[in-house]
Amino acid sequence: MNKISTKMICLCGLFAALTAICSQIAFDIGPVPINFATFSVFVAAGMLGAKFGTISQLVYVLIGAVGAPVFSHFTGGFSIVTGPTGGYILGYVAAAFITGLIVQKFNKNRYVVLPIAMLIGLIACYALGTVWFMHVTNRKLWDSLGLCVFPFIPGDIIKIALATILVARLKKVIKI
């Protein structure tokens, strides 16, 4: 049986806290705010891998779901997770898992694998969030994509580039 080290528990908590902090760097442009949380999700997955990157984001979601003000604009509570933007918040967990899994399997050339893994994770987050948004708001696909995905693509590309550089550099100096 694998033991979880104190170091990994601390790192999961650190990345959950980083996601909470990055969530506060937010700009309202519609029903879904632009925030920096996906940057933290990508770094967590790139550094911790699928298992612990996912755990870090589950901790973030659970802390927010019980009411701690960790979501965008210092909000929290189960109603946020079940509301129109909740699918994107849950998408952080999926993005961390998928990104971490790809990074673990194909960790040869970080500057190629990392951004591709992060992009695939982001697509999973977009898909989960958009389907949930459509369900909760009764909006059609193209309307939902126009509100919740297309405006975010340029910023998310920048976040992927920054996260790729940071993870590649951190992996050289921090052994996890």
Side-chain angles (χ1 to χ4, degrees):
M1 178 146 99
N2 290 338
K3 285 185 167 182
I4 298 175
S5 70
T6 302
K7 179 180 179 179
M8 290 310 291
I9 291 169
C10 291
L11 286 169
C12 288
L14 175 72
F15 279 106
L18 182 61
T19 304
I21 292 165
C22 288
S23 292
Q24 305 318 313
I25 304 168
F27 308 95
D28 288 328
I29 62 163
V32 179
I34 290 177
N35 69 36
F36 215 62
T38 50
F39 171 79
S40 176
V41 172
F42 298 143
V43 175
M47 292 300 296
L48 303 179
K51 179 179 178 180
F52 293 108
T54 301
I55 290 170
S56 74
Q57 298 312 301
L58 276 171
V59 168
Y60 165 75
V61 172
L62 291 172
I63 287 171
V66 298
V70 297
F71 301 142
S72 182
H73 301 298
F74 295 102
T75 58
F78 194 67
S79 64
I80 302 295
V81 178
T82 59
T85 62
Y88 296 101
I89 294 169
L90 293 171
Y92 298 165
V93 177
F97 177 74
I98 291 167
T99 301
L101 193 64
I102 294 169
V103 167
Q104 285 173 219
K105 290 215 179 263
F106 305 100
N107 201 19
K108 299 285 185 214
N109 187 344
R110 289 188 185 112
Y111 286 105
V112 174
V113 172
L114 281 169
I116 291 169
M118 291 173 190
L119 179 62
I120 294 169
L122 179 65
I123 290 168
C125 182
Y126 281 163
L128 187 61
T130 302
V131 167
W132 185 253
F133 182 83
M134 290 169 55
H135 170 73
V136 171
T137 64
N138 288 322
R139 291 187 184 258
K140 301 286 184 206
L141 177 62
W142 283 107
D143 187 31
S144 298
L145 291 173
L147 289 169
C148 304
V149 174
F150 298 146
F152 296 83
I153 292 172
D156 284 334
I157 290 170
I158 293 168
K159 288 182 258 182
I160 287 171
L162 293 173
T164 296
I165 293 166
L166 182 61
V167 169
R169 290 186 179 174
L170 286 175
K171 284 271 193 180
K172 289 179 183 177
V173 295
I174 299 173
K175 303 297 179 210
I176 297 177

